[in-house]
Amino acid sequence: MKVIWAAALVLFVGGCLPYSAPEGVTGHPSELDPGRSEALVSQESPEAVENSEPGVVAADLLEEVAVIDPETLEDNLLLAGVDQVPPDNEGVTVAPVAVTFDFPVVENEKVRYFIDYYSGRGHGTFTRWLERSGRYLPLMRQIFSEEDLPLDLTYLAMIESGFNNRAYSWANAVGPWQFIESTGRMMGLQSDWWYDERRDFEKSTRAAARFLKDLHRRFDGDWYLAVASYNAGPGKMSHAIRKYNTRDFWEISRGKYLQLETKNYLPKLMAALIIAKEPEKYGFTDIQYQDPHDFETVKVPTATDLEVIARLCGADYETVKALNPELKRWCTPPGIRDYAVRIPLGSRERFESGYALLPHEDRANYKRHRIAQGDTLLALSHQYKIRVADIVALNGIKNPKALRIGADLILPLKKGYTSLPVDELKDDYVRSRRQTYTVRSGDSLWKISRRFHVSEKELRVWNRLGWSNTLRPGQTLVVSAGAVKAAKPQTIAGKSKKEDGPVRKIVYQVRAGDTLWGIGKQFSVNTRQIMAWNELSADHILRPGDKLTLMVAGGSRG
């Protein structure tokens, strides 16, 4: 698969689901999916762009997105529970002592297993979950209080996503509450190419609160059944009640009907709550809780770049983007007037006065063009009065002769445009087609993992195999080889053996043919870090003899 496709779409790893997905469910389809059978549009010859000097080629920037960040990989593995083996029977169930909950928390063998797991093997990852909770729990508790729900139930977001906005599941469930698209839509969460309200920490929390209230009513006030059905789906849980002729969650869990994920779901929540109430008791003694989001809301009448909004607020782009995680791109949705945007607290007056003076044409610096039959790069450059070379650079086009009908091109309509649209096209939650492999006689997980350069643990996560080693000829496995190959040097902890050791500063002299991405790959650092360390702009052109300062791990090769 070409780099532009393999890199623009990120690999996915198994996670948790808030609602049982129907067979074959997938999330929101990528409009850049290379697997679609669209017609190709004939383009002008390569000579039309041979004089282009795009600097840091967009494909170089896009390619590194194939490497999932180590924290999210760790989060997803702990959320998926690949190596977690709680006891089959919960044993004696008792109420916890000395701690008060507004959710019916109990302790038993299953709950204690997850307490020990989170405070032992999962200590580092769970610490991050606790630290992130400081950013989101105050608002979530406020919303749950308004809905008259138990405030402790907000920790359900912890075992769904670890409060990580980049967490995702095998069925493209996203956001802090891990809604799949169909369930999100059912709860009023909208999504398209430009935005996805499942990712919004406020809107998704309100949707989760409504959903949990509905489930609580459906199961006649039994919170255990309601919470379990948030994971399995209400239909599945109702069938389990009928099958075992009991409403006792623990008794139902002893049977084989429910998935292991659902059986462990409630014990995980209780374990998380027990630790969160008394973290020091369980070895979490140095937690640096993140500050809550402080923001106010303004409305922008037409599509506006977040870079522009950040500048008018006196803030940086990353701050504004973090306050508006539902925005998948670099600007507010063009089709929505008066879009509500969160800005840093105290910046409203400055923003509104600056925005009032901003010419309409300066609100958005980029235009999205959907390719139609007959479009060529040369024709588009004439139509929009921009250079072909800029279109190529901004979109990372490798073959100017072929564009896909229905794909989207980003067109720079201002001087001094940045690589921001390229970066934002690395949508966190739009995944490539799942690369699959059909099991043959004699295959094993070990053989398949070696063949596709992935680990057995990853295969277990992606295919929800648990600890089972049983494979059947004809069985289809997700292998995601194209994306995972780029991540191969990294371990679960985010460091390879060659990266061990103290960080050291080196000066690298640029050679002919070097790119920032290639240098980053050589020294196990990313492109943005190199740009930050050397104060380089996104369109900087490397020249042989240039010297770059790099901060690399002691064992990285030079």
Side-chain angles (χ1 to χ4, degrees), residues 158-174:
M158 175 181 276
I159 65 167
E160 282 289 348
S161 66
F163 298 110
N164 183 347
N165 284 329
R166 295 172 62 87
Y168 42 79
S169 83
W170 64 275
N172 286 343
V174 303

Side-chain angles (χ1 to χ4, degrees), residues 279-345:
E280 295 84 3
K281 178 179 177 180
Y282 299 98
F284 297 91
T285 57
D286 191 25
I287 302 173
Q288 304 295 318
Y289 290 101
Q290 296 179 5
D291 293 330
H293 278 310
D294 286 327
F295 60 86
E296 48 194 334
T297 303
V298 296
K299 292 185 176 180
V300 291
T302 59
T304 305
D305 287 0
L306 297 189
E307 279 185 307
V308 172
I309 294 172
R311 173 170 53 81
L312 293 178
C313 290
D316 55 55
Y317 172 84
E318 287 73 20
T319 297
V320 174
K321 191 66 190 288
L323 289 175
N324 298 276
E326 79 280 9
L327 295 178
K328 296 160 66 176
R329 310 303 174 195
W330 58 94
C331 70
T332 62
I336 301 179
R337 295 187 61 83
D338 296 325
Y339 192 87
V341 179
R342 298 187 190 94
I343 59 176
L345 188 65

Side-chain angles (χ1 to χ4, degrees), residues 157 269 322 417 489 517:
L269 172 61
Y417 69 87
W517 181 83

Side-chain angles (χ1 to χ4, degrees), residues 102-104 148-150 153 211-229 237 241 247-249 266:
D102 63 1
F103 179 83
D148 198 25
L149 290 171
L153 203 52
F211 193 25
L212 286 165
K213 286 187 74 170
D214 290 345
L215 295 172
H216 189 241
R217 282 192 294 267
R218 174 165 178 164
F219 291 97
D220 302 321
D222 189 315
W223 272 121
Y224 290 1
L225 298 178
V227 167
S229 65
M237 188 55 57
I241 292 171
R247 296 176 60 83
D248 186 321
F249 170 79
L266 192 62

